[in-house]
């Protein structure tokens, strides 16, 4: 039996911005600047942060992940969502139609989006060769086990396969804390 | 096959106080007053709250659960623990030796405990007759499944059996949010 072991990255709340929104929040012609590369090739944590405010609360410093994307998207945990007073759906990244709204503030401006806030569905990025080796298809739903005193099996983990991806499982802070997981821990695909 | 279905209660952060600490925080001879009964017979949410403060943050209104107990015990989620700046162990209620400390403030006084802060280990309360019917022993570790888009199997769920208990599974807010669970949802013991 092949053991399908994947490293895990814990995603804290973060935001992706469209270039139009980058300029609205930071000034005309502004370009995000890279602080640190992420596990997925070409993606980075930016030096810039924004404040986000919902009906019940705010987070003053939410990290922007770059580069700029087609649509602005705020990813929060369900715990964060309760604190903000919003009810975002669990969605795959990029699938924001009918999701929750939020107000975003930067040093040069403020804007309110009607949709774009989601709780990210847990998923695994596979490079095409990893997926082929393990017989995993794009969009397949997997079961993934973590051992330990707070051991869990996560069901409905979405496989995302691309030659642009590096092998990495992404979960949010609620999932990490519920299972006692830290960045870089390993998980096993069991089904 | 018998389906072993249990209702789930989500525990937000809360505190149990010794009578000595009740009096230190609220005044000599003070008695907690009941706001609402809990699922376990004789237990209640009190009208009273306290503030708790760690090295990195505080929560100004933490609900007290009554009646008073032998030892003071603060139960927080791992998310809460990061916000407070403490590192409490995952423990069964009552097992506080060597756990984390915290400062507690009430209207009449303030005190610091050196131990007593835990992340509660997930568990199921069984009345003795439920446990006998399903062949479950006190302290047995169970696997419990929740269905849904954030479906999970929780491992190492501790069985606690007593004629004083009512059937109820207790998880914390991180576990509930990671699995999309609300108070009163149902879980299934699968192993």
């Amino acid at each position: 039996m092949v053991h399908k072991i994947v490293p895990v990255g814990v995603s804290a709340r973060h935001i992706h911005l469209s270039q139009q929104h980058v300029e609205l929040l930071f000034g005309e012609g502004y370009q995000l600047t890279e602080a640190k590369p992420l596990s997925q090739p070409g993606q980075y944590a930016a030096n810039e942060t924004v404040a986000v405010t919902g009906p019940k609360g705010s987070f003053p410093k939410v990290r922007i992940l770059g580069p700029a994307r087609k649509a602005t998207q705020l990813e929060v945990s369900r715990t964060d969502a309760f604190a903000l007073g919003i009810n975002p759906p669990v969605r795959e990244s990029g699938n924001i139609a009918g999701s929750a709204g939020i107000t975003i503030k930067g040093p040069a401006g403020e804007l309110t989006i009607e949709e774009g806030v989601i709780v990210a569905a847990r998923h695994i990025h596979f490079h095409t060769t990893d997926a082929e080796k393990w017989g995993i298809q794009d969009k397949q739903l997997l079961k993934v086990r973590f051992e330990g005193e707070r051991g869990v099996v996560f069901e409905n983990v979405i496989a995302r396969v691309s030659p642009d991806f590096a092998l990495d499982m992404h979960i949010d802070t609620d999932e990490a804390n519920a299972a006692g997981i830290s960045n870089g821990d390993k998980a096993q695909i069991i089904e």
Side-chain angles (χ1 to χ4, degrees), chain A:
Chain A
M1 184 186 154
V2 183
H3 288 288
K4 301 170 186 170
I5 307 291
V6 294
V8 183
V10 181
S11 300
R13 73 184 79 99
H14 63 270
I15 194 164
H16 304 278
L17 294 175
S18 66
Q19 181 56 31
Q20 188 202 350
H21 286 172
V22 169
E23 299 195 18
L24 254 162
L25 296 165
F26 291 89
E28 207 183 317
Y30 195 88
Q31 298 285 329
L32 295 174
T33 60
E34 176 170 340
K36 199 175 73 154
L38 300 177
S39 67
Q40 296 310 308
Q43 304 292 305
Y44 59 85
N47 292 300
E48 293 81 5
T49 62
V50 291
V52 302
T53 303
K56 280 186 59 182
S58 354
F59 294 115
K61 279 194 171 195
V62 175
R63 183 68 48 194
I64 302 171
L65 302 191
R69 291 196 178 180
K70 255 187 282 184
T72 289
Q73 176 176 297
L74 173 66
E75 299 180 38
V76 295
S77 71
R78 198 172 171 225
T79 297
D80 293 339
F82 286 126
L84 291 167
I86 58 176
N87 189 19
V90 177
R91 291 280 181 83
E92 260 195 281
S93 185
N95 178 13
I96 59 170
S99 61
I102 200 80
T103 296
I104 308 166
K105 194 171 178 177
E110 183 176 317
L111 61 97
T112 296
I113 53 174
E114 295 306 316
E115 60 184 29
V117 187
I118 64 169
V119 174
R122 49 206 181 212
H123 58 276
I124 301 177
H125 293 272
F126 294 90
H127 188 275
T128 316
T129 55
D130 296 316
E132 277 171 7
K133 186 178 61 183
W134 288 345
I136 286 166
Q137 314 296 322
D138 191 43
K139 307 288 178 198
Q140 191 177 338
L141 296 180
L142 305 168
K143 292 186 183 175
V144 179
R145 179 165 185 263
F146 294 89
E147 290 189 334
E149 71 178 341
R150 298 198 116 185
V152 300
V153 176
F154 288 122
E155 304 184 352
N156 301 330
V157 179
I158 304 168
R160 297 177 58 190
V161 179
S162 160
D164 298 333
F165 289 160
L167 184 66
D168 206 20
M169 177 169 185
H170 288 177
I171 60 176
D172 71 14
T173 46
D174 285 340
E175 294 166 325
N177 289 336
I181 294 165
S182 301
N183 248 324
D185 284 354
K186 306 285 187 199
Q188 182 171 10
I189 300 168
I190 58 172
E191 212 178 299

